[in-house]
Amino acid sequence: MLWFLVRRIVAAVPILIFVAVFIFMLLHLAPGDPAAVAAGPNASPQQVELLRQRMQLDMPLPDQFMRWVANLARFDLGVSIFSNQPVSRLIGQRLEPTLLLAVTAMLVAVAIAVPAGTLAAWKADSLLDRVVMMFAVAGFSTPVFVTAYGLIYVFSIELGWFPVQGYTPLAQGILDCLQGLVLPSLALGFVFAALIARVVRATMLEILAEDYIRTARAKGLATPTIVIVHALKNAGVPTMTVIGIGFAILVGGVVVTETIFNIPGLGRLTTDAILRRDYPVVQGVILAFSAMLIVVNILVDLSYALFDPRVRNA
Amino acid sequence: MTALALPGRHLPRLPGAVIAAGVVLAVYALIGVLAPAFVGDIRALNLPERLLSPDAAHWFGTDQLGRDVFGRTLYGTRNSLIVGFAVAIATTLIGVTLGIVTCFSAWTDRIAMRLMDGLMAIPGVLLAIAMVAIFGSSLQNVVIAITVPEIPRMVRLVRSVTLTVREQPFIAAAISIGTPLPRILWRHVLPNVIGAVMVQATYTCASAIISEAVLSFLGAGTPPEIPSWGNMMADGRQLFQVAPWIIAFPGIFLAVLVLAVNLAGDGLRQAIDPKLSRRVGK
């Protein structure tokens, strides 16, 4: 088990190095002068030159890269051109809302998708099945912002139950914080729920056709016991896989959701930095997101062992 | 042979949802082609008539510059369809080539698959925004920026199908009679891969249409002078509480189009992979 974990972490290192090189090359081979952009339209040529030196853009490209990698090894992601703050501190400040949003959205998704998918498979080909599957296709076809604005219109503007936008930090009250997160996590969770529900249904259909389910039926177990105790447990592995894959989509959704609901998280930090060409921040945040994706995938692999003892002993 | 075959050889009864999707797609295509002909000047500013709610003259209302939301929404169809199809075609061409070639060449395989792993580790939307921001906002760059993160999924799919095809006796037979490799790939491998590829290409098209809207909405997508649904929704963001129609109509058009493309993909998959449709039962 521990050996498995170590092997997975070692395998992730070259991927992170590739991402680092790729992002670095993408930003540094780009047309346009980042110093001129950062200095603003009213800067004199001298000011641009000064900024270029401060940003170390006058060094040869391989030297810039070596310096960046050396700093990276010490978890030093550089300093923002725009706000002059260390990138690692900026990421730290923005982590809380993004993580909370991701986790609550995931909870919403699983809470909707697992029962819906299970019911659809249980009552396969019934009206209920058709309705659930129709909602599933509609769910992942509707972009996050369409769902988000629909929810804002109904629940914030018409009913006034939730704030239209904004974010209350966790430290200022858990309830206030959660109230602000209800609509964003619903909007984000729906897309995800649709994806997971389809997989749960397909897997459950397969499992319900297995021999041991027939055996369970033959010995007279009640249908709910069979479906929930015997079948659902075995749907865990494929469900975790789709959750892992979906996390990459979730990151994209987080960026949009944070923009719509004006949540000061990592997604907003990224889009703002990209639009301002704040290269150190862009590099740092994309690297941080990629590292998160890799960590989630390792956790997903570990969860297989939880659902399937055969993986544990392999 | 494999369970995959060319579509059309044994089209089963199509479910109603797929037929509805086909009709919707035809209507969108018609709107996309005809929009320039029957929509007036979509850039015409008309400040006295700004932020009008939907009525008989302006079916979808007007935006903060007095532009007709109905006309702009119809016009936006063009942009979404162009981006969706261009990305699907580009992803398919690159993905199929890479996916098939890597199965028959060990060193390309190692390099290409590591590249794909790395590319998959970067969140697609972020990569796309970064590329548009860096290389400049144009229709062509938007297509490239959306295509790059879509490629790994297509490569992996093609690779997994090709690996099973490669082990079939007819490939060994072709090799044993001295068929040159390019001919094997073209005549024997490609036809067996194309079915799965077409299904994936349809899903890619749907995902590209959403990506374009997301990029434009975040301000790193289609140039603002081209009416696209994402741009329109970005314009309406600050005014959502006073003029929700600026966002609502492009949003509904977008959701319906993506839904139709996804349903078409589901239908295609059932038609191409009878094993799956028998198992799922529909």
Side-chain angles (χ1 to χ4, degrees):
Chain A
M1 193 65 202
L2 189 71
W3 178 232
F4 172 74
L5 185 65
V6 170
R7 227 172 34 212
R8 279 305 316 258
I9 293 172
V10 171
V13 172
I15 296 182
L16 264 183
I17 293 176
F18 168 84
V19 174
V21 175
F22 185 81
I23 297 298
F24 183 87
M25 299 299 270
L26 188 65
L27 292 180
H28 285 261
L29 296 178
D33 182 356
V37 176
N42 300 323
S44 66
Q46 288 83 3
Q47 282 171 314
V48 173
E49 195 49 47
L50 215 72
L51 197 65
R52 181 172 298 132
Q53 283 170 20
R54 220 193 67 199
M55 291 161 69
Q56 292 163 341
L57 290 168
D58 52 345
M59 291 184 0
L61 202 60
D63 291 1
Q64 286 186 44
F65 182 68
M66 290 318 290
R67 178 181 285 266
W68 186 58
V69 172
N71 288 338
L72 211 57
R74 292 183 276 118
F75 292 102
D76 177 1
L77 294 170
V79 174
S80 159
I81 298 170
F82 186 77
S83 66
N84 258 326
Q85 295 214 43
V87 174
S88 45
R89 189 195 296 165
L90 284 174
I91 293 178
Q93 286 169 350
R94 305 293 192 101
L95 210 54
E96 181 197 291
T98 302
L99 283 183
L100 274 179
L101 180 58
V103 170
T104 47
M106 189 81 83
L107 287 178
V108 167
V110 172
I112 297 174
V114 173
T118 309
L119 271 178
W122 185 352
K123 308 277 180 205
D125 280 330
S126 69
L127 183 68
L128 181 78
D129 179 24
R130 267 163 228 271
V131 170
V132 168
M133 283 305 102
M134 202 55 219
F135 265 103
V137 183
F140 72 70
S141 298
T142 314
V144 178
F145 39 60
V146 176
T147 327
Y149 280 115
L151 288 172
I152 294 179
Y153 189 77
V154 175
F155 292 104
S156 300
I157 297 177
E158 292 290 314
L159 297 171
W161 290 356
F162 299 103
V164 173
Q165 48 176 221
Y167 174 77
T168 318
L170 203 53
Q172 289 177 25
I174 295 173
L175 275 182
D176 284 348
C177 173
L178 286 181
Q179 201 195 12
L181 279 175
V182 170
L183 294 186
S185 40
L186 277 178
L188 197 51
F190 279 154
V191 183
F192 227 10
L195 208 68
I196 300 173
R198 268 166 76 108
V199 172
V200 171
R201 176 181 177 275
T203 322
M204 287 294 281
L205 273 180
E206 241 172 90
I207 294 171
L208 288 176
E210 296 270 352
D211 289 343
Y212 66 87
I213 297 294
R214 202 180 47 205
T215 311
R217 240 183 250 287
K219 71 178 188 184
L221 287 183
T223 311
T225 320
I226 296 173
V227 172
I228 294 164
V229 180
H230 292 245
L232 193 58
K233 209 166 90 187
N234 288 295
V237 169
T239 309
M240 286 310 293
T241 308
V242 74
I243 288 178
I245 296 167
F247 194 81
I249 305 170
L250 187 74
V251 171
V254 163
V255 177
V256 178
T257 315
E258 287 182 356
T259 306
I260 296 172
F261 289 96
N262 212 359
I263 297 171
L266 275 185
R268 281 284 301 285
L269 182 66
T270 321
T271 33
D272 289 350
I274 288 172
L275 298 179
R276 286 175 192 143
R277 297 196 174 219
D278 194 342
Y279 286 179
V281 179
V282 177
Q283 282 172 345
V285 182
I286 294 189
L287 210 56
F289 269 125
S290 302
M292 271 195 254
L293 278 192
I294 291 172
V295 170
V296 166
N297 278 313
I298 293 178
L299 288 179
V300 166
D301 283 356
L302 282 179
S303 78
Y304 293 165
L306 207 74
F307 289 108
D308 192 344
R310 283 171 301 183
V311 177
R312 218 170 330 181
N313 302 328
Chain B
M1 274 188 33
T2 58
L4 298 167
L6 278 175
R9 275 195 204 150
H10 48 72
L11 275 178
R13 293 171 296 121
L14 287 172
V18 177
I19 297 169
V23 173
V24 171
L25 286 181
V27 172
Y28 270 92
L30 217 60
I31 293 176
V33 172
L34 296 179
F38 63 84
V39 170
D41 187 0
I42 40 146
R43 290 185 187 85
L45 305 186
N46 190 353
L47 291 178
E49 291 195 355
R50 64 178 188 264
L51 296 180
L52 294 179
S53 50
D55 59 19
H58 300 284
W59 289 0
F60 292 177
T62 60
D63 66 8
Q64 63 269 49
L65 297 173
R67 297 174 297 190
D68 181 41
V69 176
F70 178 66
R72 289 174 65 80
T73 304
L74 292 193
Y75 215 93
T77 311
R78 273 171 86 79
N79 188 59
S80 284
L81 288 177
I82 291 172
V83 172
F85 277 97
V87 171
I89 291 169
T91 308
T92 305
L93 289 179
I94 300 171
V96 169
T97 312
L98 268 179
I100 291 184
V101 169
T102 54
C103 287
F104 287 87
S105 151
W107 65 270
T108 355
D109 185 43
R110 220 163 293 149
I111 298 174
M113 290 327 283
R114 289 297 81 74
L115 266 171
M116 293 303 127
D117 283 345
L119 216 48
M120 275 188 117
I122 307 174
V125 171
L126 294 187
L127 181 57
I129 308 172
M131 287 175 74
V132 176
I134 289 166
F135 297 111
S137 155
S138 72
L139 197 58
Q140 187 194 338
N141 286 349
V142 168
V143 170
I144 295 173
I146 299 174
T147 302
V148 170
E150 291 282 354
I151 290 173
R153 252 185 296 175
M154 182 66 92
V155 172
R156 286 184 167 211
L157 171 85
V158 174
R159 205 179 109 89
S160 71
V161 180
T162 309
L163 282 177
T164 53
V165 173
R166 197 181 65 177
E167 303 308 319
Q168 300 291 318
F170 62 84
I171 298 290
I175 294 173
S176 70
I177 59 167
T179 317
L181 186 61
R183 193 176 155 82
I184 292 181
L185 298 185
W186 183 255
R187 288 294 302 273
H188 301 283
V189 177
L190 192 63
N192 286 294
V193 174
I194 209 84
V197 166
M198 281 176 61
V199 175
Q200 179 63 26
T202 314
Y203 293 136
T204 303
C205 177
S207 132
I209 292 172
I210 292 189
S211 296
E212 185 277 326
V214 167
L215 290 188
S216 302
F217 181 76
L218 293 174
T222 308
E225 67 271 13
I226 302 177
S228 91
W229 294 331
N231 282 339
M232 296 175 69
M233 294 174 78
D235 287 343
R237 228 179 84 198
Q238 305 298 337
L239 295 160
F240 182 64
Q241 298 194 51
V242 252
W245 53 86
I246 304 177
I247 281 184
F249 290 107
I252 293 168
F253 265 66
L254 173 66
V256 171
L257 174 59
V258 177
L259 179 65
V261 176
N262 274 331
L263 282 176
D266 283 357
L268 203 58
R269 186 173 63 180
Q270 280 165 31
I272 286 171
D273 189 351
K275 198 179 76 185
L276 181 84
S277 32
R278 220 181 303 130
R279 192 173 68 209
V280 177
K282 270 188 285 187

